[in-house]
């Protein structure tokens, strides 16, 4: 299972361009939704420099990166909520995402009309937040109606839990109506669990990608600082990205891309930055496995147990979990091989409750 990121934004903001940059894709930059209503779905390798270092040291037959899936639904969320049959499907895909990217237009181009008639980053961010809230409010209203119906025939224990849910959803609704997204609400862990079932859009971590033009690159850093001071929240980040340039960059081979990056003074590719910030937003870390000549990187939530990490690889590994042999990335680098790490006592035996740390190299032992 890879992480799943949904791309939203106003039409003509550069959603498909950013999608292509992130997935090295060649999706048609035109209104594909109007043509056939199928979203663009693409998979990107998660850049993980430590994977290459391990590969250079251990010479595996195969190196496998973790993956991230991006979905460019190519339609406004509001139109989906109001819309017809196929809309439900697209909205579902967005609801299933782990995080959202909101592409906001900053580039100036007379030949590409702005849907709102003028450039205004702040206005467009507000507009998108309203669309997401609109979708959540529709869902909340439907659920509250259903709770009302269920309450009529409910027996005491069920009644209690319905009332608790009603109280919480009413509170969430009131906050949304005051333009407070669910991700900013102070809620208990128990409430978070109930809310997670609904997959609310404003509950998802949000990355605002401000799509700038090439000529704005010299000002990108100061622009980004200003945007950060306004929009950064624990579950909301903002970055500037030159979508068009990044898309061209994504189509080049590695050495050409490097030259190109230097020429434009880009320290990190857009793909690398977006993934890095998304990982921070989602609290993800990497661990590595080396099995029968294959070295693989995996992404998990910070705080995941060895048992659950094993289950991420295969459900059989979770069911038949015996123990994990763990060596920290830095220790393995110092030793040069797993065998040497074992000799030096740096290979630890851990049980199912061990909390996996970023960079752990793990061999799971399990019964089938
Ligand atoms: N000049 C310029 N044009 C861009 C940039 N990003 C996107 N565009 C253009 O804007 C139009 C809309 O882009 P697209 O990615 O299809 O937007 P979408 O409707 O949000 O998917 C296309 O003609 C793109 O070539 C940019 O950074 N600079
Ligand atoms: Mg598009």
């Amino acid at each position: 299972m890879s992480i799943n990121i949904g791309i939203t934004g106003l039409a003509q903001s550069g959603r498909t361009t950013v999608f292509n940059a992130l997935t090295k894709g060649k999706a048609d930059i035109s209104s594909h939704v109007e043509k056939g209503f199928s979203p663009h779905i693409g998979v990107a390798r998660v850049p993980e420099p430590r994977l290459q270092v391990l590969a250079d040291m251990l010479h595996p037959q195969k190196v496998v990166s973790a993956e991230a899936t991006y979905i460019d639904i190519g339609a406004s969320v509001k139109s989906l909520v109001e819309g017809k049959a196929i809309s439900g499907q697209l909205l579902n895909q967005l609801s299933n995402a782990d995080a959202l990217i909101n592409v906001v237009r900053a580039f100036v181009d007379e030949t590409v009309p702005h849907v709102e008639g003028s450039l205004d980053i702040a206005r467009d961010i507000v507009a998108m937040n309203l669309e997401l809230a609109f979708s959540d409010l529709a869902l909340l209203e439907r659920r509250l109606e259903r709770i009302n119906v269920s309450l009529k025939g409910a027996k005491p224990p069920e009644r209690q839990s319905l009332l608790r849910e009603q109280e919480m959803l009413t509170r969430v609704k009131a906050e949304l109506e005051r333009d407070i997204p669910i991700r900013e609400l102070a809620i208990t862990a128990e409430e978070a669990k109930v809310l997670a079932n609904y997959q609310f859009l404003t509950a998802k971590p949000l990355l605002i990608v401000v799509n700038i033009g090439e000529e704005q690159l010299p000002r990108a850093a100061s622009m980004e600082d200003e945007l950060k001071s306004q929009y950064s929240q624990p579950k909301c980040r903002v970055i500037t990205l030159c979508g068009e340039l990044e898309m061209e960059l994504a189509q080049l081979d590695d050495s050409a891309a490097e030259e190109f990056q230097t020429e434009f003074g880009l320290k990190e590719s857009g793909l690398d930055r977006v993934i890095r910030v998304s990982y921070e937003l989602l609290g993800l870390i990497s661990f590595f496995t080396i099995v029968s000549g294959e070295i693989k990187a995996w992404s998990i939530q910070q705080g995941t147990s060895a048992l659950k990490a094993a289950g991420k690889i295969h459900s059989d590994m979770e069911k038949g979990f015996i123990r994990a042999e763990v060596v920290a990335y830095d220790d393995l680098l110092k030793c040069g091989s797993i065998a040497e790490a074992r000799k030096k006592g740096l290979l630890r035996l851990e049980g199912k409750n061990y909390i996996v740390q970023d960079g752990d190299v793990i061999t799971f032992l399990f019964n089938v």
Side-chain angles (χ1 to χ4, degrees), residues 12 14-17 28-33 40 72 74:
Q12 302 283 66
R15 294 164 302 188
T16 304
T17 305
D28 195 10
I29 305 177
S30 56
S31 44
H32 60 281
V33 167
H40 296 133
D72 167 21

Side-chain angles (χ1 to χ4, degrees), residues 45 78 93 97 103 121 144 152 157 160 162 176 182-183 198-199 219 233 242 244 252 256 266 295 299 316 342 365:
R45 214 173 38 78
K78 190 154 183 284
Q93 267 170 314
V103 179
I121 298 173
L144 281 167
K152 286 185 183 130
Q160 279 311 311
L162 282 171
L176 265 178
I182 298 173
R183 79 180 88 82
Y198 291 105
Q199 303 185 304
R219 283 189 288 122
Q233 293 271 352
C242 185
E244 213 170 44
L252 302 174
L266 305 168
I295 166 159
S299 316
D316 284 348
R342 194 188 299 273
L365 305 176

Side-chain angles (χ1 to χ4, degrees), residues 98-132:
D98 300 303
L100 298 180
I101 285 178
N102 175 20
V103 179
V104 180
R105 174 167 172 177
F107 69 86
V108 182
D109 190 337
E110 304 279 290
T111 65
V112 181
H114 193 292
V115 282
E116 299 288 338
S118 64
L119 263 182
D120 188 337
I121 298 173
R123 177 202 60 208
D124 291 354
I125 289 176
V126 169
M128 267 318 293
N129 287 341
L130 283 176
E131 285 206 9
L132 300 182

Side-chain angles (χ1 to χ4, degrees), residues 321-339:
F321 185 95
I322 301 170
R323 64 175 179 272
E325 293 186 343
V326 185
V327 54
Y329 171 81
D330 287 334
D331 287 341
L332 182 54
L333 274 204
K334 269 181 244 148
C335 295
S337 72
I338 297 273

